[in-house]
Amino acid sequence: FLIDWINTTLKEEHIVVKSLEEDLYDGLVLHHLLENLGSLKLDVDKIALTEKKQRQKLSVILEAVAKCLQLEESQLKWSVESILTKDLLSTLHLLVAIAKHFEPNLAMPPNVQVETITIENTSRGLKTANEVEYITETKENLEAQSKDDAFDELFSRAPDKLDAVKKVFLQFVNQHVEKLGLNVKDIGSQFADGVILLLLIGQLEGYFLNLRDFFLTPASTTEMV
């Protein structure tokens, strides 16, 4: 599935991937893929011939991926070293993450899992540990995500119920911002400059927002942004 997706995406660039392990480790395909999907301009050479250059290129690429996907280092299931050494599991995790971020509607096969066997050499001999690792999400997770699209459903199929939902949200917002002496009557217009939203987040999370960090009464689009 991933090979077909990459080849379809990069068809106009005449790039053909036959093996995920052999064709992605040097960063060339990943470079083209990110530029094509995310319009990312990466400050690295297209072709890296030496291992040092490949490691440097992968470092830039994976840093850009982590930034785009807003992932902390502890959340990454891949590394420069694992991709460079053609680790299939890391490569799969990386590609699935890129696909999910840039093309969320891609019909990725669910419930793809592998059994990993870790072998450790100890003073008492070889110690093995078996684990099941998911490459793509389970059907249950996907169904839960589809429920998150309830608002899209509401706008398209039940616009008559929209006012009732707005009323509930207004009550929720006012319940919290009234403590600051504020009252919201129209979500659309009063949330447009970001001020109510910031103050609401502060109330919900229980912290004080420094008024020097934003404009309490923004007078221009720039100040709103």
Side-chain angles (χ1 to χ4, degrees), residues 111-128:
N111 291 319
V112 178
Q113 53 183 302
V114 294
E115 185 179 8
T116 61
I117 304 169
T118 307
I119 303 172
E120 186 184 353
N121 196 0
T122 68
S123 56
R124 296 182 179 181
L126 294 178
K127 179 184 174 184
T128 63

Side-chain angles (χ1 to χ4, degrees), residues 204-215:
L204 292 172
E205 292 293 322
Y207 57 76
F208 177 76
L209 284 154
N210 194 324
L211 299 181
R212 288 177 297 181
D213 290 345
F214 67 101
F215 297 90

Side-chain angles (χ1 to χ4, degrees), residues 124-178:
R124 296 182 179 181
L126 294 178
K127 179 184 174 184
T128 63
N130 293 37
E131 282 185 24
V132 172
E133 191 161 344
Y134 280 92
I135 305 296
T136 62
E137 291 180 305
T138 62
K139 281 184 179 176
E140 290 76 16
N141 284 346
L142 292 171
E143 284 166 6
Q145 282 181 6
S146 67
K147 288 176 186 174
D148 292 339
D149 297 330
F151 286 105
D152 293 335
E153 198 85 2
L154 183 69
F155 278 105
S156 61
R157 299 193 184 185
D160 53 311
K161 294 180 182 176
L162 201 55
D163 286 337
V165 174
K166 280 184 183 177
K167 190 177 177 182
V168 172
F169 276 122
L170 270 176
Q171 288 172 347
F172 165 73
V173 171
N174 283 322
Q175 180 187 345
H176 294 282
V177 298
E178 275 174 356

Side-chain angles (χ1 to χ4, degrees), residues 49-104:
L49 297 176
T50 65
E51 187 179 318
K52 184 181 176 182
K53 288 279 188 184
Q54 287 167 358
R55 183 175 269 104
Q56 185 184 355
K57 182 184 175 83
L58 277 172
S59 182
V60 172
I61 289 170
L62 297 185
E63 196 176 315
V65 170
K67 193 174 179 182
C68 266
L69 276 56
Q70 297 182 324
L71 295 172
E72 299 292 331
E73 197 171 336
S74 59
Q75 296 174 288
L76 302 178
K77 295 182 179 179
W78 57 82
S79 66
V80 171
E81 203 57 44
S82 64
I83 300 297
L84 197 59
T85 54
K86 306 179 185 180
D87 182 83
L88 180 58
L89 204 56
S90 296
T91 305
L92 287 172
H93 279 306
L94 174 62
L95 289 173
V96 168
I98 291 171
K100 273 175 60 183
H101 178 78
F102 291 107
E103 297 199 43

